[in-house]
Amino acid sequence: MSMNKDLELSNYNYEIDQELIAQFPIEKRSNSKLIILNRKDKSIQHKNFFDIVNILNENDCLVINTTKVVPARLYGKKSTGGKVELLFLNPTQQGPKYQVLIKPNIKLNHKVYFDEGYECSFVGLDEQGNKIVEFNKPNVQSLLEKYGFMPLPPYIKRKDDLAQKYAQTDRIRYQTVYANMSGAIAAPTAGLHFTNEILEKLKEKKVEIVHIVLHVGWGTFKPILSNDIQQHKMLPERYILDEENANKINNALKNNKRIIAVGTTSVRSLETIASLTGKYDSSNKLVSINGCSGQTEIFIYPGYKFKMVQAMFTNLHLPCSTPLMMTSAFAGREFILSAYKQAIEHKYRFFSYGDSMFIE
């Protein structure tokens, strides 16, 4: 029996020219291109992101992820003077011990030295096989805020001098304008196109704006290793929805407002909350949810039935990535891939610093 094509990793591959992978953000956030996919009539339109002020209306409820990216990449030196790079996987945890990825590898009990007298020793591994380091001084977060670099994904090339040269630009632009709760090690990139001006215009149009938090973790970049995508396990990420924002969502559900998620991270949080706390009517339509917080490992791929999200903003994702599978679950794999083909023809900019997509 042949496998369902939607469940095979190889069917999420596509060819992309290196020059379409955005290395830097566009000068003005909202000037990104916007490809619009209509799921009902399978039509595709090409606009600009600033057009969303006309696309959204007062019957819409827009959910944004207000997590803040920590500059979680830190460079230090070994006792021999060799350079070492640490990526903190859970940078806001308390105490002297942290989970990290280290490049190049160091031996057990060896030390890495940083600015201001900070040093850490590699003391062991956690259950997932991540390295644990222990610091000699408290307030490691202030060390990261002062000396850390934004944890840009590996396809954005920031070798040595470039990392320094663009450190400030990346600190501003690899962060949404509404970020307010530190904890992420990757940006919720669909939100990078919003400006305060656009948010104000949406509020004037009476679009309801809801804040949710999902601290994006390393799992976002973790490659899928099995051709059967069902075998893949997402790493847990922390989400928070407070009562005030849950009430806004309940109001939207009651008044049949369209719930639009900004980014796959918001989608994962909303769908998790709908699964855990949702109340449904006799026709299985979601009626209400509760505010809650916790960890989610939800992996959304074709076959998934969406409980809450009715439209989404997202970026153009890497081949064979979990966000590409989620958008395929939402709009259909073939439709998504045909839209990507058009985006490539129209020279859209891809991935984190790239252009935007709206699926309705």
Side-chain angles (χ1 to χ4, degrees), residues 62-75:
L62 189 72
V63 183
I64 59 178
N65 179 5
T66 60
T67 186
K68 192 172 186 183
V69 183
V70 178
R73 181 168 278 139
L74 192 64
Y75 294 97

Side-chain angles (χ1 to χ4, degrees), residues 36-80:
I36 301 174
L37 279 60
N38 185 305
R39 293 185 294 160
K40 283 195 188 75
D41 65 11
K42 294 283 186 270
S43 63
I44 296 173
Q45 287 176 290
H46 299 277
K47 302 249 186 189
N48 284 91
F49 189 80
F50 52 70
D51 292 322
I52 76 161
V53 174
N54 305 319
I55 295 165
L56 300 188
N57 57 53
E58 66 176 274
N59 270 338
D60 289 332
C61 171
L62 189 72
V63 183
I64 59 178
N65 179 5
T66 60
T67 186
K68 192 172 186 183
V69 183
V70 178
R73 181 168 278 139
L74 192 64
Y75 294 97
K77 287 195 163 71
K78 296 193 248 190
S79 54
T80 54

Side-chain angles (χ1 to χ4, degrees), residues 65 67 69 87 89 101 151-155 174 183-190 214-224 232-238 263-266 268 296 298-299 314-315 317-326 351-352:
N65 179 5
T67 186
V69 183
L87 176 64
L89 299 181
L101 302 179
L152 299 175
Y155 52 76
Y174 193 65
I185 61 165
T189 54
L214 180 118
H215 291 317
V216 194
W218 181 66
T220 301
F221 304 116
K222 188 183 167 197
I224 298 180
H232 184 67
K233 295 274 183 284
M234 297 290 280
L235 295 173
E237 294 172 319
R238 185 160 173 70
T264 58
T265 59
S266 299
R268 293 180 62 228
T296 181
I298 191 171
F299 175 24
T314 188
N315 273 24
H317 302 292
L318 278 87
C320 299
S321 62
T322 57
L324 180 60
M325 288 159 195
M326 177 195 288
F351 311 156
S352 292

Side-chain angles (χ1 to χ4, degrees), residues 246-263:
N247 288 337
K248 286 183 180 178
I249 289 174
N250 287 337
N251 192 36
L253 290 167
K254 195 167 99 184
N255 295 305
N256 276 326
K257 288 190 174 185
R258 186 166 62 150
I259 293 175
I260 302 169
V262 176

Side-chain angles (χ1 to χ4, degrees), residues 8 24 27 47 161 220 225 240 254 257 298 305:
E8 287 186 69
F24 302 98
E27 198 172 326
K47 302 249 186 189
D161 301 349
T220 301
L225 301 173
I240 303 160
K254 195 167 99 184
K257 288 190 174 185
I298 191 171
K305 296 276 181 283

